[in-house]
Amino acid sequence: MDVKETATKAKGLVGEFKEFISRGNVVDMAVGIIVGSAFTSIVNSLVKDIITPFIAWIIGDTDFTAMSLVLVPAAGEDPGISIAYGNFIQQVVNFLIIAFVVFLMVKVINRFRRKKEAAPAPAPEPPKPSPELEVLREIRDLLEQK
């Protein structure tokens, strides 16, 4: 392969990459990911800072991470072996709370969208009759008078 062929292949690769990256769906996907990550931080804050403390106030403690099943107790410098199922339960509870909050948010957004779509559109004005039709009506009215 000579230098010219290598340069052509490199331009082709760069050109293909530019075409790929400039497609609308790739840009839309990137915007969706960025907005999704920002939305994730909002939902996580809502759950962590507002909903979880409220649940803890109602039922007591909501932290399950300390729960574990000790298989081999710790002895000296040996840390022991345990199954930390409490962390799994905590993650499931967090997931359920987040899923419920997102469900409620989507439900509210859909309600607003349906209201906007259901708003009656103004009635279109009836089309103005053509000049020929007006002349025919005048003729009809004259004939009725006679």
Side-chain angles (χ1 to χ4, degrees), residues 73-95:
E77 291 186 22
D78 186 24
I81 300 173
S82 64
I83 298 174
Y85 65 89
N87 192 34
F88 175 74
I89 293 172
Q90 185 69 46
Q91 295 306 318
V92 169
V93 168
N94 288 347
F95 169 77

Side-chain angles (χ1 to χ4, degrees), residues 81-119:
I81 300 173
S82 64
I83 298 174
Y85 65 89
N87 192 34
F88 175 74
I89 293 172
Q90 185 69 46
Q91 295 306 318
V92 169
V93 168
N94 288 347
F95 169 77
L96 292 174
I97 292 171
I98 290 171
F100 185 68
V101 168
V102 170
F103 168 75
L104 291 178
M105 293 172 87
V106 168
K107 188 172 178 156
V108 168
I109 290 169
N110 285 341
R111 181 179 296 154
F112 285 130
R113 186 176 297 149
R114 275 187 245 124
K115 273 187 177 179
K116 185 178 179 182
E117 290 173 357

Side-chain angles (χ1 to χ4, degrees), residues 4-64:
K4 190 174 184 179
E5 287 179 20
T6 306
T8 305
K9 282 189 175 185
K11 284 183 182 180
L13 183 65
V14 171
E16 281 185 59
F17 181 72
K18 283 173 76 175
E19 181 183 343
F20 168 76
I21 205 72
S22 65
R23 286 185 184 158
N25 55 358
V26 172
V27 174
D28 290 344
M29 182 182 66
V31 169
I33 290 170
I34 292 167
V35 170
S37 66
F39 185 71
T40 299
S41 65
I42 291 170
V43 171
N44 286 337
S45 175
L46 176 67
V47 169
K48 178 182 160 200
D49 301 330
I50 297 173
I51 295 177
T52 301
F54 183 72
I55 292 172
W57 178 65
I58 292 173
I59 64 171
D61 192 19
T62 58
D63 188 15
F64 301 106

